[in-house]
Every structure is written in C-alpha cells, then in structure tokens.
C-alpha cells in the first residue's frame, strides 16, 4: 500500500471522528433541551411571546350630598420601554417624549433608561393623562420607532381644586389616601386591580391579532357620599379666605352643622392647598385644623358653663349676679375686657356682655367635680366621633387636680384646649334642646352595582335638660341684639343665638400666654327658636384689636345667611324675647 493512500485513510478517519463528535454534541444538547429542560425553555418561549399588564381599578368617587363630584378618577397612562428595542434609537425617542410631555421628561435620564443594559423592561414616566400619553405614542409611531409601550392607570383629580381640600385629603404617588376622607375611607375607595395577558411578536413586541389572551376583571372602588353641600362649601371657602387675609390672621376655620342630624354641611380652612396642581402642599396647610389643632376657645365656653348651671337649677336668664371690678385668685389677677367697678348683671347680661368675672361668680356654685363632669358630658377631653384621621382629644385637666384658678379660668374658656369640632358638638347640644350627637361627614357608600350602604348615625344623648338649653339660648340671643357684643352677626328676619370668643394664644414653645395675640371666634345658630344650622368661625392671631363679634361675627352672618337660603329655611316669624341684662 502506498504512503499516499495511508495518509488519505487517516485523514478520512479524523474527519469522520470530527463529524461524529459534532453530531454527538448536537445530540446531547438536543436531548437536554427536549428531554431535561423542555419545560424551562417552553416557559421562556411563552414569556418572550407574551405581555402581562395590570388592569387598574378606578378609585371610588367622593361626592357631595347632591351627587356632585368632589374627588374623582380619570384615565391615565404609564409609558414603558424595551431597551433591547430602543437602545439604538434612544436619542430620537427621548427627543419626541420631551417635545410631547415637556418638563416631566428629563432628556438625558430618558436616554439612559432607553439604553438600560440586559433589560427588556423599564418605566419611562408614570401617571400621565391618557390623552397626553397617546399623543406621545402616536408621534413615536409616525417616526417609525418602536419599543415604547403603555399601561393604563387611573389618576386622582379634584374638580373643585381647593374646595374642601382639608376635609377631602389627597392621595400619594401610589394612589393611597394619606389625609382626610381619602385616608379614613381608603379601603372603601380602593378597588381591586385586574390583569390582562396576551401574545406578542417576540421581535417587535406588537400584539398578535386573534391570539389567545386572558383577562381577570377588575373591581372598581366604592363611591363615598359626604354630607357636604358643594355650593355652600365653595362660598364659605371664599368668604373665610377673605376674612383671614383682611384680618391678617395666621389661619381660619368655618364649620356649619345641621343641628338636628349633626351632619357637617360645610367645613372650610384657610390657608389651604390644591392637590390637583400641588400648590400649598406644606404641612401647615394640609393639616386638618378642625380636628387636629387644639386651642383655647375663650368666651364661647361660657355657654357650656351656663348650661351646666341651668341644668342644676342654679340660674335662669334673669338671675341677678353681682360682678366685681376684678378678682385675685391663687395670685392671678382676673378682670374683664373692659374696665368697670362693681356692676349688677343678670345671667343673660353676663353672656351678652361676655363678662369673665360674672361667669366666675356664677360658676362658683359648682364644685370642681361637678363642673368637670359637665364638661366631660359635653364631650371635652375626648374625640368627637367624626371619623376623620388624626383627631385630637383636646386637653381637659382632671377636676380632682384643679386649683381655684383652674376652676375660674376654665369656666370662661381659658386653661382648657379644644378642637373646633368638639366646640361645635358641645354648643350643638344647646341648639338641639340639650341632646348631643356625633358630627358626621359621610352619609353612605355606593358600589359599581349601584347598591347603596347608608352609614347609620350614632345615637344622640341628653347632656342637659330641654329647659336648660332653652334658658341658655335666650341668653345667647342677647349677644346679637343691638346692645350685645355681636350685633354684626344678626340676620334680618331671623332670630339668631350666638356667642363671641376671644382667648389669649399659647406659645407652643414655652407653654405661656402671649399678650396681644388672640384667637377670636363666633359661634351661633338660627333660627334661635327652631334651630336648623350652627356655624362656628375661628380666626387665629388676627390684628391686635380684633374681637370675636367685630371680626368673626360678620363672617358668621354671611355663611349662615347662605346656609339658610341654600336649604330654604324660612324665618319663624317670631320675635326675640326681651331679656333684662342688668338689675
């Protein structure tokens, strides 16, 4: 055999061995794919050829008592991208997004996202109004660019802007309520998201028509119907904002309650915020001062002291009281806001002229324990039950620990701290013939099926007798008389019962009173002989000579007048009784 034939055969064997080796490798790999890892590769193939997206459930609406939207949800969109598809065209895509979406898109940051290595999914921008997002997607498609996709979202919006903002609250970036009704009823308002899975072309990401898809239906959140009247709320918001600005106050509150049902029909705060455009979203504006802020109410509290005395049969509206020129108690000198010698006032006169000294003299007929128990009965030192987040108990020192000075000052509203809603609830009991109920801001919830669930009102409880409430009401009518402390609060044609309040402010840093800085207020209800609404106005730190009657009284007049007109409450036609203020 020649040498050349031997070499040829050797080469043939080597080539054959190489071919067998290659096929063996392919065979082993094929066995691994089809036999050992078949399910894993099948899953990968399915994953590359399917797209899963969330079907967001819209958050329930918050409505006013007549069904008008106070907070609602609108269609939104989140834009995403597949960096494997967008990497090469990142600058062009980023430029289009910047043009269509403006400053919400950072050009260079978006390029980095579109070029994210080893990734098939990135978020480009969340919570874009649907029409804006669609416009951007259309522009990208017209430029023959691919790899940008969308997911449906729902966006929270407040049609009234600042309207009742502190009562409604707002939602955070994840759509969760973090204040007000949005927080308190978050579980009720939040729906259950659905899901959608469909087949796409693995190379282009485009959905394949007629291909298999699965959908898990979403369940919308329930609507919450409030007790608020939108038109009255809007007017009160504007009127209060004007009053805060004109009086240079730090802040103000206005609350109107139906005295029969204890439904809050209006709750305003100034300054406030706008969750729609983000303006004013500082802690000092987003806090709900009506339930979270505590302050000393001043002379409005005299109505409670007098109600306690009247309930025990210790005073009537014409009870004579000798009012001294001043009193020194536990080393503290106490006087009235005006200088006088010894004067002779009736109990009605003490309320009409807002005499601290006359109130102290009258209150000395009660022991510490008795007076403390009446204050607790009227709801002080405990939450109002309104079901709003962050509500404070207020501060009422236990009667066992009262000094003589505590007894004296608490009687006229200093040395006790309250929330505005506590004060509304307490005086509301006087307007409601001695029966107190819990304020409410929500009346019912409604599901997508239209089924309504009413929220039952808590039972009312008697705190003083009907006669005692009537006695104090007669005293309060003298306040709005021409010779009272708040004639500006009187409403033509209606009998109005009211009470002014002026209290020294406490420095939160030192716990001491600040001379010259006051919290002024006015509380009143009408018609006095058949009460329907009660309105409370509070202005904190107005100009130095501001008073409850002259500064808060006119605001009460305007908001109460609007409430009576809005709900069609006619004058009763009766005249206020003449009650002697002196003897």
């Amino acid at each position: 055999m020649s040498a050349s034939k031997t070499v040829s055969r050797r080469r043939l064997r080597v080539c054959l061995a190489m071919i067998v080796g290659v096929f063996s490798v392919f065979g082993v790999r094929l066995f691994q794919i089809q036999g050992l890892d078949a399910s894993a590769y099948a899953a990968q193939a399915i994953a590359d050829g399917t797209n899963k997206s969330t079907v967001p459930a819209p958050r329930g609406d918050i409505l006013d008592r007549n069904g008008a939207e106070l907070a609602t949800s609108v269609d939104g969109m989140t834009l995403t991208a597949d960096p494997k598809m967008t990497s090469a065209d990142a600058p062009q895509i980023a430029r289009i997004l910047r043009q269509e979406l403006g400053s919400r898109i950072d050009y260079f940051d978006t390029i980095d996202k579109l070029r994210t290595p080893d990734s098939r999914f990135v978020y480009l921008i969340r919570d874009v109004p649907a029409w804006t997002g669609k416009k951007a997607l259309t522009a990208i498609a017209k430029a023959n660019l691919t790899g940008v996709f969308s997911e449906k979202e729902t966006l929270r919006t407040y049609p009234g802007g600042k309207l009742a903002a502190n009562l409604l609250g707002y939602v955070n970036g994840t759509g969760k309520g973090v204040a007000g009704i949005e927080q308190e009823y978050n579980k009720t308002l939040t729906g259950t998201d659905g899901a959608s899975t469909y087949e796409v072309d693995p190379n282009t990401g485009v959905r394949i028509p007629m291909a298999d898809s699965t959908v898990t239906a979403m369940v919308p959140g329930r609507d919450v119907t409030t007790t608020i009247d939108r038109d009255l709320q809007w007017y009160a918001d504007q009127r209060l904002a004007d009053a805060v600005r004109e009086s240079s106050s730090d802040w103000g509150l206005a609350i109107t309650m139906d005295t029969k049902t204890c439904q809050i029909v209006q709750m305003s705060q100034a300054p406030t915020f706008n969750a729609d455009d983000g303006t004013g979203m500082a802690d000092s504006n987003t806090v709900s001062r009506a339930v979270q802020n505590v302050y000393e109410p001043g002379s409005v509290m005299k109505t409670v002291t007098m109600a306690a005395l009247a309930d025990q049969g210790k005073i009537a509206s014409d009870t004579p009281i000798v009012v001294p020129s001043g009193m020194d108690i536990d080393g503290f000198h106490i006087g009235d806001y005006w200088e006088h010698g010894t004067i002779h006032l009736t109990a009605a006169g003490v309320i009409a002229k807002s005499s601290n000294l006359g109130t102290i003299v009258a209150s000395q007929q009660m022991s510490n324990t008795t007076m403390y128990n009446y204050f607790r009965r009227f709801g002080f030192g405990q939450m109002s039950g309104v079901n709003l987040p962050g509500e404070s108990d207020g501060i009422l020192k236990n009667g066992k620990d009262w000094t003589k000075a505590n007894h004296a000052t608490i009687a006229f509203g200093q040395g006790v701290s309250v929330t505005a809603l506590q004060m509304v609830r307490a005086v509301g009991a006087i307007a409601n013939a001695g029966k107190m109920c819990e304020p409410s801001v929500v009346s019912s919830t409604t599901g997508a099926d239209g089924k309504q669930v009413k929220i039952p009102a808590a039972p009312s409880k008697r705190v003083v007798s009907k006669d005692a409430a009537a006695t104090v009401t007669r005293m309060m009518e003298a306040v709005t008389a021409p010779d009272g402390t708040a004639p500006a609060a009187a409403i033509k044609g209606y009998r109005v019962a009211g009470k002014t309040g002026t209290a020294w402010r406490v420095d939160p840093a030192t716990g001491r009173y600040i001379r010259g800085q006051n919290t002024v207020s006015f509380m009143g209800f009408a018609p006095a002989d058949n009460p329907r609404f009660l309105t409370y106005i509070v202005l904190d730190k107005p100009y130095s000579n501001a008073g409850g009657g002259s500064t808060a009284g006119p605001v009460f007049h305007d908001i109460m007048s609007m409430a009576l007109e809005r709900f069609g409450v006619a004058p009763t036609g009766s005249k206020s009784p003449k009650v002697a203020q002196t003897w």
Side-chain angles (χ1 to χ4, degrees):
M1 183 179 294
S2 66
S4 61
K5 289 183 177 180
T6 300
V7 172
S8 296
R9 289 175 179 173
R10 187 180 298 117
R11 288 177 177 173
L12 184 60
R13 291 191 188 100
V14 171
C15 289
L16 182 61
M18 292 176 63
I19 291 172
V20 171
V22 170
F23 275 102
S24 296
V25 171
F26 280 117
V28 171
R29 182 61 175 157
L30 184 61
F31 174 74
Q32 180 186 15
I33 292 173
Q34 293 186 338
L36 301 179
D37 298 332
S39 59
Y41 280 95
Q44 182 64 43
I46 293 173
D48 290 342
T50 60
N51 192 347
K52 297 179 181 179
S53 63
T54 299
V55 180
R59 190 173 177 85
D61 293 342
I62 301 177
L63 310 171
D64 89 330
R65 66 190 300 116
N66 300 308
E69 292 177 346
L70 301 177
T72 188
S73 297
V74 297
D75 289 337
M77 186 178 288
T78 288
L79 299 184
T80 66
D82 181 346
K84 186 175 181 180
M85 301 170 62
T86 59
S87 181
D89 301 315
Q92 298 96 306
I93 295 173
R95 188 178 303 112
I96 291 173
L97 292 173
R98 173 72 182 187
Q99 290 172 349
E100 299 298 333
L101 302 177
S103 60
R104 293 194 62 183
I105 285 289
D106 183 282
Y107 176 73
F108 295 104
D109 181 56
T110 302
I111 290 178
D112 290 340
K113 290 179 180 179
L114 294 167
R115 287 177 172 169
T116 303
D118 303 321
S119 175
R120 297 298 304 270
F121 180 90
V122 293
Y123 284 106
L124 297 178
I125 186 171
R126 297 174 182 264
D127 299 333
V128 177
W131 68 272
T132 305
K134 290 177 181 178
K135 187 178 177 183
L137 290 174
T138 300
I140 290 171
K142 285 184 178 180
N144 295 318
L145 300 171
T146 60
V148 177
F149 308 99
S150 66
E151 293 180 358
K152 289 183 179 180
E153 301 285 354
T154 56
L155 302 180
R156 200 62 166 168
T157 184
Y158 301 87
K162 294 181 178 181
L163 184 86
N166 299 90
L167 173 61
L168 298 177
Y170 57 98
V171 298
N172 61 16
T174 64
K176 181 180 179 180
V178 292
I181 291 174
E182 292 277 28
Q183 178 179 338
E184 187 69 22
Y185 291 86
N186 185 65
K187 289 183 179 180
T188 301
L189 292 162
T190 302
T192 302
D193 290 343
S196 176
T197 303
Y198 52 87
E199 293 186 34
V200 298
D201 185 320
N203 296 316
T204 64
V206 177
R207 182 172 182 173
I208 300 173
M210 307 302 290
D212 291 339
S213 63
T214 59
V215 176
T216 302
M218 58 80 177
V219 180
R222 294 180 66 83
D223 293 343
V224 170
T225 299
T226 71
T227 59
I228 298 300
D229 181 87
R230 190 182 190 280
D231 290 349
L232 177 61
Q233 180 71 43
W234 181 88
Y235 177 79
D237 282 355
Q238 309 307 312
R239 183 64 182 90
L240 179 67
D242 289 343
V244 168
R245 183 178 61 256
E246 292 167 2
S247 64
S248 301
S249 298
D250 278 4
W251 53 264
L253 289 171
I255 303 171
T256 299
M257 182 180 77
D258 186 322
T259 60
K260 303 297 185 185
T261 64
C262 282
Q263 290 186 344
I264 302 297
V265 294
Q266 166 273 313
M267 183 184 290
S268 302
Q269 177 175 316
T272 185
F273 65 97
N274 187 333
D276 249 10
D277 60 18
T279 56
M281 297 289 286
D283 289 346
S284 58
N285 293 339
T286 58
V287 63
S288 180
R289 295 188 183 277
V291 296
Q292 293 176 287
N293 263 50
V294 295
Y295 60 95
E296 299 195 4
S299 296
V300 172
M301 188 65 83
K302 293 171 183 173
T303 60
V304 174
T305 301
M306 289 298 186
L309 289 165
D311 190 58
Q312 299 169 72
K314 295 183 180 297
I315 63 163
S317 57
D318 59 355
T319 297
I321 298 174
V322 178
V323 182
S325 60
M327 301 176 76
D328 292 296
I329 303 176
D330 290 343
F332 296 97
H333 181 75
I334 301 174
D336 280 325
Y337 69 90
W338 80 101
E339 295 291 334
H340 62 75
T342 298
I343 54 178
H344 298 79
L345 298 178
T346 62
V350 168
I351 291 296
K353 297 185 180 302
S354 198
S355 171
N356 295 339
L357 298 168
T359 304
I360 294 172
V361 171
S363 73
Q364 287 175 339
Q365 300 177 75
M366 291 186 286
S367 68
N368 288 352
T369 299
T370 299
M371 184 168 152
Y372 171 78
N373 288 339
Y374 267 101
F375 271 54
R376 289 288 296 182
R377 191 184 299 181
F378 270 97
F380 297 109
Q382 52 199 300
M383 290 189 289
S384 71
V386 71
N387 290 331
L388 286 174
E391 185 177 7
S392 172
D393 291 339
I395 304 171
L396 176 64
K397 189 177 179 181
N398 194 300
K400 295 178 181 179
D401 302 320
W402 286 4
T403 63
K404 290 181 180 180
N406 290 146
H407 186 290
T409 58
I410 290 172
F412 62 81
Q414 297 272 190
V416 55
S417 293
V418 304
T419 67
L421 214 54
Q422 284 177 336
M423 209 68 235
V424 165
R425 179 178 63 167
V427 180
I430 296 172
N432 193 31
K435 297 179 72 175
M436 188 172 74
C437 50
E438 294 181 352
S440 62
V441 292
V442 171
S443 61
S444 66
T445 67
T446 307
D449 57 2
K451 292 184 178 179
Q452 186 183 69
V453 176
K454 292 188 176 181
I455 297 176
S460 59
K461 61 181 180 180
R462 181 161 296 284
V463 292
V464 293
S465 69
K466 184 176 180 180
D467 287 343
T471 294
V472 177
T473 297
R474 285 195 295 273
M475 296 180 187
M476 293 173 68
E477 284 193 75
V479 173
T480 60
D483 56 349
T485 53
I491 300 173
K492 187 176 181 179
Y494 291 87
R495 289 173 59 176
V496 177
K499 184 68 194 78
T500 58
T502 302
W504 288 351
R505 294 177 76 249
V506 175
D507 185 343
T510 64
R512 295 180 178 277
Y513 292 116
I514 308 173
R515 296 271 184 172
Q517 292 187 10
N518 299 320
T519 299
V520 303
S521 58
F522 185 88
M523 176 86 76
F525 51 88
D529 52 335
N530 186 21
R532 175 65 192 280
F533 292 112
L534 176 148
T535 295
Y536 186 33
I537 309 298
V538 183
L539 297 170
D540 188 62
K541 196 184 172 184
Y543 54 84
S544 60
N545 63 340
S550 60
T551 309
V555 187
F556 163 87
H557 170 278
D558 294 346
I559 294 177
M560 176 60 80
S561 295
M562 175 67 172
L564 295 170
E565 178 182 347
R566 176 72 179 155
F567 286 84
V569 180
T572 58
S574 63
K575 293 184 178 180
S576 298
K578 292 184 178 180
V579 180
Q581 296 186 20
T582 59
W583 58 278

